Amino acid sequence: MRRFRIARQRPSRPSIPPRHTLSVWRADFTASLVVFLVAVPLCVGVAVASGVPAELGLVTGIVGGLLTGLLPGSSLQVSGPAAGLTVLVYEAVQEYGLGALGALVLLAGVLQLTMGALRLGRWFRAISVAVVQGMLAGIGLVLIAGQLYALVDARAPGNGPANLAGLPDLAADTAGSGTALSALAVGAGTIALLVLWPKWRRAARVLPAPLVAVALATVVVFVLDLPVARVEVAGLLEVVQPPGGADFARLAEAGALAGALGTVLAFALIASAESLFSAAAVDRLHDGPKTDYDKELMAQGAGNTVCGLLGALPMTAVIVRSSANVFAGAQTKASRVLHGVWLLVFAAAFPAALGVVPLAALAGVLVHAGGKLIPVRQWRPLWREHRGEAVVLAATAVAIVATNMFEGVLLGLLMAVAKSAWETSHVHLEIVGLDEPATRDGAPAGSGTRRPIRVRALGNATFLRLPKLLDQLEALPKDREVELDLTGLRHLDHACAAALGAWEEQRRGPDGTARKEAPSVAP
């Protein structure tokens, strides 16, 4: 028989009509301008709130657009400095200095690249949503508490508890200062415009609310010549300071090593989780190609590595910019790359434009952003339907405010694991013959001989349910023989096996009132 080989042809991509290509480019170009206008006040505001020069926020935004925007992963989400890391960055700068920030971000980027190469990106989807929401809520609370000081041109005392404790004194000082009241009016007006502008949908599609609010506040301050603080401006090249050997040596000192490693881990995990959760949210907003989580994690790692080499802020994918990109009609990754180009042109050609922006307006933008991080609307249905998840969320947020980001998230993860373990470790005892008089071995009823009590354990017996399990067994009559059947257990851990064995030995005693009918299940 003669055999014929039929060559398989690769499916060719359908040719894109020129008109369609032009419409895609037009949509991406328009979307890039919208994202650029949203990104400028956010980049500057996050940098100022983090205690670093405003230009470093623009550097991170530029890297997020030009580098991360070109890499595979998610096609439409936009990266840059995020409010979610503001508190942690501020604490790191205060602890180790501005020069060491680049070293911390560089190490976090390398860790993200390693996790992406090991294909760990998809596992971030297994992190409890309650922990992530609690993390964002805690960040929002700390961010608001700190920016309330900037809202009146005052300096925040320090960490979250100190900022909260100082709010009564801040209110008293503000009431007696005309300068502080002027700054408060600018900041409050900015927040009001951020809330009201999106309600004018036709105008909001053309101009994003953050840009309008900051621009209007700047004009009002300039026209009225209000005595409020403004952004301090330096050249873009002057603020770029790659970390040197002395910065790494400072982090490696005996007293600082543990804290530095914790900061690097917090940077990497929080930035990765926020980016990948943002990617999942953005995927629900469009019908285009979905995110490859491992590639996106490596793209974020590459961006943070370069940001570290430039001494800039850490980056994450930001849902505010990403959703603006999608709603503006972006079709491909060209929109986010172009937004990085516009940031570079703006930072290089018009740096002096930042010097007229009032700090109170940027503080208003961040207070509004912090408020959006707190899941107020989701709290009531979550408490009604999943009370355990609501407790984890609240505990994580409170722990972040009371301690710091890393310890708060760690506590939230431990609580989530404990909650899951508690919910899955259900054990039930079926007790038969407790109140039933009967004959045994031919003895007549009522002769005083009663059949053994049969106890059958079902479910998963773990140490979490051990106190309740032992209470039920010890409540059985002491003068009755007990048959304990463990064949219905799907899991029996070592603690429960040892405790049940001890109970059986104690219950057997000299009269033999307990016996195990079946061997226990191996843990």
Side-chain angles (χ1 to χ4, degrees), residues 124-517:
F124 277 88
R125 292 179 290 178
I127 296 177
S128 170
V129 176
V131 175
V132 176
Q133 288 181 327
M135 175 192 73
L136 295 176
I139 292 170
L141 291 172
V142 176
L143 183 62
I144 291 173
Q147 290 306 301
L148 287 176
Y149 291 85
L151 208 64
V152 295
D153 286 347
R155 185 177 181 84
N159 55 15
N163 292 342
L164 290 174
L167 290 179
D169 293 336
L170 177 68
D173 295 340
T174 302
S177 171
T179 303
L181 289 175
S182 298
L184 178 61
V186 173
T190 302
I191 297 173
L193 195 56
L194 287 170
V195 174
L196 297 176
W197 185 261
K199 299 182 182 299
W200 188 8
R201 295 184 179 180
R202 182 174 300 178
R205 292 175 183 174
V206 179
L207 292 174
L211 178 71
V212 174
V214 173
L216 185 59
T218 302
V219 171
V220 170
V221 168
F222 178 78
V223 171
L224 300 180
D225 194 21
L226 297 178
V228 298
R230 294 170 174 80
V231 176
E232 296 181 2
V233 182
L236 192 63
L237 295 179
E238 285 79 0
V239 299
V240 174
Q241 297 180 356
D247 298 316
F248 286 97
R250 187 180 303 114
L251 297 178
E253 293 176 356
L257 182 58
L261 291 177
T263 302
V264 169
L265 187 62
F267 274 165
L269 294 182
I270 294 172
S272 301
E274 188 171 344
S275 296
L276 297 182
F277 274 100
S278 173
V282 172
D283 283 347
R284 292 193 291 268
L285 299 178
H286 67 88
D287 299 325
K290 303 306 179 182
T291 300
D292 185 315
Y293 287 89
D294 296 317
K295 291 181 179 179
E296 179 62 21
L297 183 56
M298 294 194 71
Q300 294 295 324
N304 274 319
T305 301
V306 174
C307 286
L309 292 173
L310 297 175
L313 292 171
M315 75 164 57
T316 69
V318 187
I319 189 62
V320 176
R321 275 167 260 187
S322 302
S323 58
N325 189 39
V326 175
F327 294 145
Q331 301 294 316
T332 68
K333 65 177 63 176
S335 61
R336 59 185 190 177
V337 176
L338 284 174
H339 120 275
V341 173
W342 309 141
L343 284 175
L344 177 61
V345 172
F346 176 83
F350 307 105
L354 298 176
V356 298
V357 176
L359 289 178
L362 296 178
V365 172
L366 290 174
V367 168
H368 181 259
K372 294 175 70 175
L373 293 176
I374 302 174
V376 178
R377 295 182 179 178
Q378 294 85 353
W379 171 257
R380 183 172 295 178
L382 186 65
W383 176 260
R384 190 166 51 245
E385 300 172 8
H386 305 282
R387 190 155 296 181
E389 294 288 315
V391 171
V392 172
L393 188 157
T396 304
V398 171
I400 289 175
V401 174
T403 58
N404 56 52
M405 178 76 64
F406 182 71
E407 294 178 6
V409 171
L410 184 61
L411 176 65
L413 290 174
L414 292 176
M415 288 191 63
V417 171
K419 182 189 74 70
S420 299
W422 176 262
E423 291 178 347
T424 56
S425 63
H426 290 294
V427 63
H428 173 64
L429 295 182
E430 289 185 350
I431 303 175
V432 179
L434 181 62
D435 301 320
E436 180 180 346
T439 61
R440 185 183 181 191
D441 298 331
S447 63
T449 304
R450 304 175 71 183
R451 72 175 64 180
I453 299 174
R454 294 181 57 86
V455 179
R456 187 166 186 257
L458 304 171
N460 300 302
T462 69
F463 70 95
L464 294 173
R465 302 286 182 170
L466 186 55
K468 180 180 179 181
L469 188 64
L470 290 178
D471 287 343
Q472 289 180 283
L473 291 174
E474 290 171 356
L476 297 174
K478 304 295 184 182
D479 59 344
R480 296 283 301 278
E481 186 177 0
V482 178
E483 293 179 354
L484 181 60
D485 182 4
L486 303 181
T487 57
L489 290 177
R490 293 188 296 271
H491 175 72
L492 178 67
D493 68 6
H494 179 71
C496 276
L500 291 177
W503 173 85
E504 184 186 12
E505 292 295 331
Q506 182 182 10
R507 180 63 187 250
R508 180 177 291 115
D511 300 328
T513 58
R515 59 193 175 96
K516 190 181 298 184
E517 184 181 67

Side-chain angles (χ1 to χ4, degrees), residues 24-81:
V24 169
W25 274 102
R26 185 184 297 112
D28 288 336
F29 181 82
T30 304
S32 71
L33 292 175
V34 173
V35 177
F36 161 71
L37 296 176
V38 173
V40 169
L42 290 178
C43 288
V44 175
V46 169
V48 172
S50 301
V52 304
E55 292 81 3
L56 287 182
L58 294 174
V59 171
T60 300
I62 292 168
V63 175
L66 297 183
L67 176 61
T68 307
L70 283 172
L71 296 176
S74 176
S75 59
L76 295 182
Q77 78 169 353
V78 184
S79 300

